[in-house]
Amino acid sequence: MNQASESDPITLFRSNWATYQKLLEHNYMFHHELVHASQKLIQSIDRPLSLVDLGCGDATLSQTLFKNNQISRYIACDLSQPALQLAKTNLAPWSSQLELNCLDMLEQLRQIPDCALDLVFSSYAIHHLNDQSKLALFKECFRVLKQSGSFVLIDVMRNDRQSRDDYLDQYLCMVEKDWVEINSIECARITEHVRANDFPLSPSEYQSLARQAGFHQENLLDAHGFHQAWAYQRLS
């Protein structure tokens, strides 16, 4: 494969997406457990759901999370157009309620009116934002949610009082030790990506952002080390 083809966006997407599918298949990031815990909360909502999926990828998770719920409106955004094409196929049963947008998460939220949604959902996406953008995202989530609506967040989180550098060292040590089905090339790409792009906060830091945004109730849905699921509820 020549250098030009390796830098082609579609080629890069397919390569990285194949690695991501390995992570799902072998449950290295505890998607199964965290999605199941989130599903119990989401499916307890006894009304048609209007929601936004921030950083939806190919929307594979949504097929599990929402299959027993009636969807009244489903907005999904991602910066990858190839991922959105896959999402369109995966979400075909909801095609009449579906809006797919190639936008960043904050831009998507800012296009939604106040108090319009029952649910905001995001999985392994917002740790890429800087702290200022994370706070802005929490504020936008609060704004677009109806009273008693929830922001369900699945993501990596640092331990309290743990530095980013210490987190990165521990996380990547775990990757090298435990993600045995990831080959050396894939491991090198993951390491490069994580060190350059991952800026996770601790649960207490996320709680502080949520309180600043207006949320006054948060619930830990499930946790497996650095991989956690939380729900932040708008009560007013």
Side-chain angles (χ1 to χ4, degrees):
M1 184 178 294
N2 61 40
Q3 187 173 1
S5 63
E6 286 178 347
S7 63
D8 175 76
I10 300 299
T11 301
L12 288 172
F13 170 79
R14 288 172 176 166
S15 175
N16 293 334
W17 211 250
T19 302
Y20 178 67
Q21 293 304 312
K22 279 189 182 181
L23 302 186
L24 286 176
E25 178 185 356
H26 298 284
N27 201 33
Y28 288 144
M29 298 176 71
F30 298 95
H31 284 85
H32 297 169
E33 293 84 356
L34 300 177
V35 167
H36 178 70
S38 302
Q39 181 187 46
K40 289 194 292 185
L41 170 68
I42 291 167
Q43 295 190 354
S44 70
I45 303 172
D46 60 354
R47 61 182 180 273
L49 285 174
S50 56
L51 65 110
V52 62
D53 187 347
L54 302 174
C56 66
D58 68 354
T60 300
L61 301 182
S62 300
Q63 295 172 298
T64 300
L65 278 170
F66 308 111
K67 64 183 179 182
N68 294 323
N69 278 331
Q70 180 181 357
I71 301 296
S72 63
R73 184 185 184 193
Y74 192 110
I75 307 167
C77 74
D78 201 276
L79 286 173
S80 169
Q81 192 63 55
L84 289 172
Q85 289 300 315
L86 294 175
K88 183 177 182 180
T89 300
N90 289 334
L91 299 177
W94 306 325
S95 58
S96 62
Q97 295 87 25
L98 180 62
E99 301 171 36
L100 288 172
N101 300 312
C102 191
L103 296 171
D104 71 43
M105 294 179 284
L106 274 169
E107 185 177 357
Q108 175 63 83
L109 286 166
R110 287 167 178 154
Q111 293 187 9
I112 300 171
D114 294 358
C115 306
L117 302 179
D118 300 294
L119 182 73
V120 176
F121 176 74
S122 184
S123 173
Y124 292 118
I126 78 167
H127 66 276
H128 295 132
L129 301 177
N130 62 37
D131 291 356
Q132 183 178 358
S133 294
K134 289 186 183 76
L135 176 58
L137 183 137
F138 267 85
K139 288 180 176 179
E140 288 297 314
C141 288
F142 184 86
R143 181 187 63 79
V144 304
L145 284 170
K146 301 175 184 177
Q147 186 173 350
S148 77
S150 293
F151 172 27
V152 174
L153 174 64
I154 295 175
D155 218 321
V156 286
M157 300 192 184
R158 301 196 322 246
N159 297 322
D160 284 325
R161 296 179 297 278
Q162 182 180 38
S163 70
R164 177 176 181 263
D165 287 343
D166 185 43
Y167 162 84
L168 292 174
D169 289 343
Q170 288 193 31
Y171 195 89
L172 292 170
C173 180
M174 176 198 67
V175 169
E176 186 174 357
K177 175 177 176 289
D178 296 339
W179 295 12
V180 295
E181 297 300 325
I182 301 298
N183 64 44
S184 60
I185 294 174
E186 291 168 325
C187 189
R189 286 175 177 165
I190 290 170
T191 297
E192 181 181 9
H193 170 84
V194 168
R195 289 202 177 276
N197 299 290
D198 285 18
F199 301 91
L201 300 180
S202 69
S204 62
E205 289 172 319
Y206 276 118
Q207 179 179 321
S208 176
L209 295 184
R211 295 297 172 93
Q212 291 178 66
F215 293 97
H216 287 92
Q217 180 171 314
E218 60 281 326
N219 295 297
L220 174 63
L221 304 178
D222 198 11
H224 298 269
F226 297 121
H227 309 91
Q228 302 188 21
W230 287 79
Y232 307 90
Q233 189 172 21
R234 174 171 180 165
L235 298 179
S236 61

